[in-house]
């Protein structure tokens, strides 16, 4: 009887489906703009996912945090924000960028530098809708197009505010 019970446990645990994993890369690029520089302080990249086992939620990706000049990310130049991070296979519905306070814009007209405020970018983050699947044992690369020219606005107080215009450029 002991052998039968042991074999039953081995058989049942052997049938349990194992979690599968894939890898994910997130890149950022920019459309041409009318600024010399637009610096954005990227602190963290998160994804919102769901898989077949009923798991879902936000996952923080290993991020190459830093200040990125969006203007330098043109003509097929990208900055890799997160590279080949292992994540559970499943559906990615959103990417969230958490930004810091070290953001600025340098104007083309006179090369002057101005602080750039990005409302609620650190507390709730910038959320970009994505409809992609992380395949098991493969890499998913998502390139975000951060449109600096459409994102930067001068308000009535002479302050530069960023209302980010970000779209998914490619999913591979």
């Amino acid at each position: 009887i002991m052998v039968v019970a042991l074999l039953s446990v081995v058989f049942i645990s052997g049938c349990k489906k194992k979690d599968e994993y894939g890898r994910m890369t997130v890149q950022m690029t920019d459309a041409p703009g009318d600024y010399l520089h637009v610096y954005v302080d990227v602190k963290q990249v998160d994804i919102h996912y769901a898989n077949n086992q009923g798991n879902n939620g936000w996952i923080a990706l290993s991020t190459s945090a830093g200040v990125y000049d969006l203007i330098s990310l043109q003509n097929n130049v990208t900055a890799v924000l997160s590279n080949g991070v292992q994540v559970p296979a499943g559906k990615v519905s959103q990417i969230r960028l958490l930004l810091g306070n070290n953001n600025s814009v340098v104007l083309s007209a006179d090369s002057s530098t101005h602080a750039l405020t990005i409302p609620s970018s650190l507390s709730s983050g910038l959320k970009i809708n994505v409809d992609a699947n992380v395949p098991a044992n493969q890499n998913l690369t998502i390139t975000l197009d951060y449109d600096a020219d459409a994102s930067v606005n001068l308000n009535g107080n002479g302050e530069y505010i960023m209302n980010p215009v970000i779209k998914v450029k490619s999913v591979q």
Side-chain angles (χ1 to χ4, degrees):
I1 292 180
M2 187 85 158
V3 172
V4 172
L6 182 60
L7 286 175
S8 296
V9 169
V10 170
F11 177 75
I12 291 170
S13 64
C15 291
K16 188 177 182 182
K17 184 170 174 113
K18 293 183 179 182
D19 289 338
E20 295 182 318
Y21 292 88
R23 296 202 172 275
M24 186 158 180
T25 299
V26 178
Q27 304 177 135
M28 184 170 58
T29 190
D30 180 35
D34 194 26
Y35 302 99
L36 290 178
H37 304 281
V38 176
Y39 296 107
V40 177
D41 184 10
V42 177
K43 296 291 186 192
Q44 181 65 45
V45 177
D46 299 337
I47 61 167
H48 192 272
Y49 87 104
N51 67 15
N52 293 336
Q53 285 75 41
N55 298 323
N56 62 45
W58 288 102
I59 295 178
L61 301 182
S62 174
T63 303
S64 297
V67 177
Y68 293 89
D69 181 4
L70 297 178
I71 303 303
S72 70
L73 304 177
Q74 298 177 8
N75 301 319
N76 295 321
V77 175
T78 59
V80 178
L81 301 178
S82 189
N83 191 16
V85 177
Q86 182 174 302
V87 296
K91 181 178 174 154
V92 176
S93 59
Q94 289 184 323
I95 293 177
R96 176 172 61 191
L97 300 178
L98 297 173
L99 304 180
N101 295 321
N102 196 13
N103 306 294
S104 61
V105 59
V106 180
L107 304 181
S108 296
D110 61 4
S111 299
S112 60
T113 301
H114 302 271
L116 184 59
T117 302
I118 307 174
S120 68
S121 58
L122 188 56
S123 58
S124 63
L126 307 175
K127 294 177 183 143
I128 302 103
N129 289 327
V130 177
D131 185 19
N133 287 305
V134 177
N137 304 314
Q138 294 182 30
N139 192 63
L140 171 67
T141 299
I142 296 178
T143 302
L144 302 175
D145 186 358
Y146 204 130
D147 190 338
D149 195 43
S151 298
V152 177
N153 301 291
L154 178 62
N155 72 11
N157 297 331
E159 298 172 329
Y160 285 87
I161 306 288
M162 178 174 277
N163 296 310
V165 176
I166 305 171
K167 64 181 180 180
V168 175
K169 181 176 182 178
S170 67
V171 177
Q172 301 174 344

